[in-house]
Amino acid sequence: MTGLMRRWLAHAIFALAAFATPLLLSGNRYFAFIAGITFFSVLWATGMNLLYGYTGLMPLMFGGIAGISAYVTIGLSANGWSFWLAMLVGSVAASLVGIVLGLPALRLRGFYFTLCSLVIQTVITLAFVYFVNLTNGDVGISHIPLPELPGGRQLAGTAYELVLATIAVIGVVVLTVIVESSFGRRLTAIREDDGLAETLGINVTRQKLAAFFVASLFASVGGALYAPYVGFISPRSFDVLLSLNIWVMVAFGGRGTIWGPVIGAVILAPVPFVLQDYYTIKDVVYGLLIIGVVVLLPGGIVGGVKRKGRADAPAAVAKQAAPVR
Amino acid sequence: MTLLNAQRISMQFGGLIALRDVDMRQVAGETLGMIGPNGSGKTTFVNVITGHLTPQRGEVHFDDISLLGRKPFQIAAAGLTRTYQAVRVFSELTVQENIATALVDAARPLDSDGVAETTEWLELRHRLDARAGSLTLYEQRRLEVLMRLVQRPKLLMLDEPVGGLSSTEVRATIDLLSELKARCTLFVIEHTMKVIRELADRVVVLLAGEKIADGPPAEVLADQRVVEKYLGSADA
Ligand SMILES: Nc1ncnc2c1ncn2[C@@H]1O[C@H](COP(=O)(O)OP(=O)(O)OP(=O)(O)O)[C@@H](O)[C@H]1O
Ligand SMILES: [Mg+2]
């Protein structure tokens, strides 16, 4: 029993903090809203961590998938569906799209997949702009109604933030369970060397696509809940900047660790609000942050997966030095 | 009983013919050695058999199932596995995690006693918590073999298992591999003739993608053509 308690201690503390925050901030809508946005960031960073941290694929279309789910969910709600059913359908649909968009990862690795995902993200954004009758194009959709609750009430205010806290906690728990399961072991093997993984009997194709599905679920559940929470979405809400934002949180915190990206999200998600008054330098600060992370913190603040190519592999050295026969 | 039967394998890379009509049969329990100069197609042959490359022509049967068109993970499940010429382990993971990864989708995994016993036998038990990338080359080579053995393969193809090792380590590896014969059938590519002479029941010689000799080591290694084309320059 003590083992089990120790095992989930960090999660319990995180859950406690997550549920306490909206309650403590309930007197100040502005701060409570920042907390709400931070919960989305935790959920999204955790989902991207599954792909970027544990599978070794950096999916820059992550924001686009969240967007697909958001548009489908509010589209269906506007047609009279219950929000929750719409969210279920929207999330699953967007995650299936996520699998399809992950297909290039079967051929492309590392940087090349990242480039490809950037192109995919751009296409998704263009599609949001193009299909005006579904998305209202660049104008965006405003006055998105809040999700209804049983009994005719609406999910709003502190209750909404508590739901977001719950989703964030569930996300972290789900990732933890995955990482410690054989699914997680397969993904780590793929991240380290997918050719070797395949030789050892792992169906790399299937595992990668499964990873895309699960990570896309994180993106899309967040996307569906984000739209009514903020009340307004446009193609820019789910553009490449969202993907990059989340990526920075994962990398800054420490990819391939459970808590690194959570910490990254908690630290970085409030930054835009803090810098709000310095709008002109916001992007500069942001750019410097990206460079700083890449150069100074290859493993993130928690010290996760480092970039490859370190010269400490004796085998590689020995191989060079060894005579051929 | 024929375990591996490859017929008329031809593999071409653009204009380069890496394998030309190569036939190869291996009986269960027989240790087959493969030698040949650099670039003669040995690794390419293993890549074709294990599903890493698709040949332009030829057929491969293993345990009476056809392997062509199957992926490496399916071929591994059928009981045919390989090591790589350049040692290849999950270097950022611990030895323990490497072993666990080899077990995760193994079709016929060893039980935990078997894994412990094999780890002991390959003298890796004291290294279980070490990062695989921090092991010596010899330890990494043993880890590679261990990761295959926990899957209880029927045929293990070793691509230059002593490449880069010291002479003491080569000696020890030969001893390990001869004990290994009791567990599974071995196919060994080597440039070090000592390995072939001591381990192989039969040896095949590739030259520029063609099989030029096939027979008992004593005979093949004395063959005039083999001596001229290859052994003259090797450490025979
Ligand atoms: N994937 C590939 N693409 C193009 N050419 C290749 C490929 N793999 C091998 N070759 C070429 O095929 C030929 C045979 O290579 P292979 O690696 O099979 O030789 P080998 O007998 O294993 O040599 P060595 O003893 O040096 O390991 C070489 O000319 C090599 O350059
Ligand atoms: Mg070779």
Side-chain angles (χ1 to χ4, degrees):
Chain A
M1 203 54 205
T2 43
L4 187 72
M5 269 167 63
R6 189 171 311 149
R7 172 71 210 69
W8 293 102
L9 183 64
H11 293 76
I13 293 172
F14 172 62
L16 219 61
F19 293 125
T21 307
L23 296 174
L24 292 175
L25 298 178
S26 61
N28 185 325
R29 278 314 303 151
Y30 181 66
F31 286 144
F33 181 77
I34 297 177
I37 294 299
T38 304
F39 291 135
F40 284 112
S41 301
V42 168
L43 175 71
W44 281 332
T46 300
M48 188 184 280
N49 190 22
L50 180 70
L51 277 178
Y52 181 56
Y54 289 96
T55 318
L57 295 162
M58 180 177 163
L60 287 181
M61 74 288 218
F62 196 83
I65 292 165
I68 293 172
S69 167
Y71 280 116
V72 171
T73 302
I74 54 179
L76 292 176
S77 310
N79 281 296
W81 288 48
S82 130
F83 171 83
W84 304 104
L85 184 61
M87 171 173 152
L88 182 71
V89 172
S91 300
V92 171
S95 303
L96 293 175
V97 173
I99 294 183
V100 176
L101 300 183
L103 287 176
L106 303 180
R107 283 296 173 85
L108 304 173
R109 291 190 189 111
F111 176 69
Y112 297 96
F113 173 72
T114 304
L115 263 189
C116 178
S117 74
L118 181 63
V119 173
I120 293 173
Q121 171 68 57
T122 309
V123 171
I124 296 176
T125 303
L126 288 175
F128 289 158
V129 176
Y130 182 79
F131 293 104
V132 179
N133 46 347
L134 296 175
T135 65
N136 208 22
D138 266 329
V139 180
I141 303 174
S142 42
H143 305 298
I144 298 168
L146 290 163
E148 74 280 5
L149 289 172
R153 288 168 49 86
Q154 283 183 324
L155 179 65
T158 306
Y160 209 136
E161 275 111 33
L162 286 172
V163 168
L164 299 181
T166 310
I167 297 284
V169 170
I170 291 175
V172 174
V173 170
V174 167
L175 182 70
T176 308
V177 170
I178 287 178
V179 164
E180 292 175 1
S181 69
S182 24
F183 180 38
R185 193 168 291 295
R186 294 184 187 103
L187 297 185
T188 307
I190 290 169
R191 176 191 73 201
E192 292 297 314
D193 184 341
D194 56 359
L196 179 56
E198 172 112 17
T199 292
L200 292 173
I202 294 172
N203 184 343
V204 172
T205 299
R206 183 194 293 171
Q207 301 305 325
K208 278 186 180 171
L209 295 182
F212 270 100
F213 181 76
V214 177
S216 301
L217 266 183
F218 280 74
S220 28
V221 167
L225 283 166
Y226 178 88
Y229 185 66
V230 176
F232 167 79
I233 60 169
S234 77
R236 294 199 58 182
S237 313
F238 303 105
D239 66 3
V240 69
L241 274 180
L242 176 61
S243 305
L244 276 175
N245 264 319
I246 301 164
W247 172 76
V248 172
M249 291 168 191
V250 176
F252 176 78
R255 70 168 173 136
T257 66
I258 297 290
W259 297 107
V262 174
I263 294 169
V266 169
I267 293 176
L268 296 180
V271 168
F273 297 93
V274 176
L275 290 180
Q276 190 148 264
D277 295 338
Y278 310 94
Y279 192 76
T280 41
I281 60 156
K282 203 176 90 182
D283 291 344
V284 178
V285 171
Y286 195 72
L288 287 176
L289 199 65
I290 294 185
I291 295 169
V293 164
V294 171
V295 175
L296 301 175
L297 292 170
I301 49 181
V302 171
V305 182
K306 305 197 177 47
R307 270 167 292 131
K308 293 288 176 57
R310 283 181 300 158
D312 66 349
V317 178
K319 210 186 84 213
Q320 297 295 317
V324 186
R325 56 185 70 164
Chain B
M1 186 198 98
T2 303
L3 188 59
L4 179 70
N5 191 5
Q7 289 170 298
R8 298 183 313 283
I9 303 291
S10 292
M11 182 75 224
Q12 212 168 321
F13 299 109
L16 179 94
I17 298 174
L19 293 172
R20 191 198 300 268
D21 285 329
V22 174
D23 288 319
M24 189 93 48
R25 267 179 55 128
Q26 186 172 7
V27 188
E30 169 193 47
T31 301
L32 191 58
M34 178 179 264
I35 60 174
N38 293 124
S40 55
K42 306 181 296 296
T43 298
T44 302
F45 180 75
V46 172
N47 283 338
V48 165
I49 301 298
T50 53
H52 291 80
L53 288 172
T54 308
Q56 277 76 23
R57 197 146 55 95
E59 274 174 59
V60 183
H61 288 269
F62 176 73
D63 235 8
D64 288 329
I65 60 168
S66 173
L67 292 190
L68 279 199
R70 283 178 202 251
K71 298 190 144 204
F73 80 90
Q74 296 168 316
I75 292 174
L80 169 50
T81 188
R82 55 90 61 92
T83 61
Y84 293 91
Q85 183 166 348
V87 78
R88 204 160 164 186
V89 294
F90 299 111
S91 51
E92 296 298 320
L93 306 185
T94 66
V95 169
Q96 181 84 66
E97 289 167 337
N98 270 270
I99 299 168
T101 305
L103 284 166
V104 76
D105 278 329
R108 309 179 303 147
L110 272 181
D111 60 19
S112 54
D113 285 350
V115 173
E117 180 263 324
T118 311
T119 308
E120 184 79 53
W121 176 59
L122 288 167
E123 291 172 41
L124 284 168
R125 207 167 77 150
H126 64 296
R127 301 296 266 149
L128 282 175
D129 295 323
R131 204 172 57 82
S134 73
L135 302 182
T136 66
L137 177 65
Y138 181 40
E139 287 171 327
Q140 292 193 19
R141 289 259 184 230
R142 272 149 40 210
L143 176 57
E144 276 190 316
V145 170
L146 175 57
M147 287 162 75
R148 306 309 185 278
L149 292 187
V150 299
Q151 302 194 333
R152 293 201 297 143
K154 294 175 189 159
L155 174 59
L156 172 56
M157 304 183 96
L158 298 157
D159 195 349
E160 305 198 16
V162 305
L165 299 186
S166 75
S167 55
T168 331
E169 292 164 348
V170 171
R171 180 68 258 154
T173 305
I174 294 174
D175 295 340
L176 280 178
L177 294 181
S178 57
E179 285 181 52
L180 187 55
K181 286 181 178 187
R183 298 186 183 223
C184 66
T185 304
L186 297 181
F187 178 104
V188 186
I189 295 178
E190 254 312 330
H191 284 293
T192 308
M193 283 311 131
K194 191 157 82 170
V195 177
I196 298 295
R197 243 188 250 107
E198 292 198 32
L199 287 176
D201 300 315
R202 190 156 64 85
V203 68
V204 164
V205 186
L206 283 192
L207 180 69
E210 287 187 76
K211 190 166 94 170
I212 60 162
D214 184 343
E219 242 170 64
V220 169
L221 299 184
D223 183 319
Q224 198 53 40
R225 276 201 311 163
V226 175
V227 173
E228 260 171 40
K229 300 282 192 217
Y230 177 51
L231 293 181
S233 61
D235 70 347

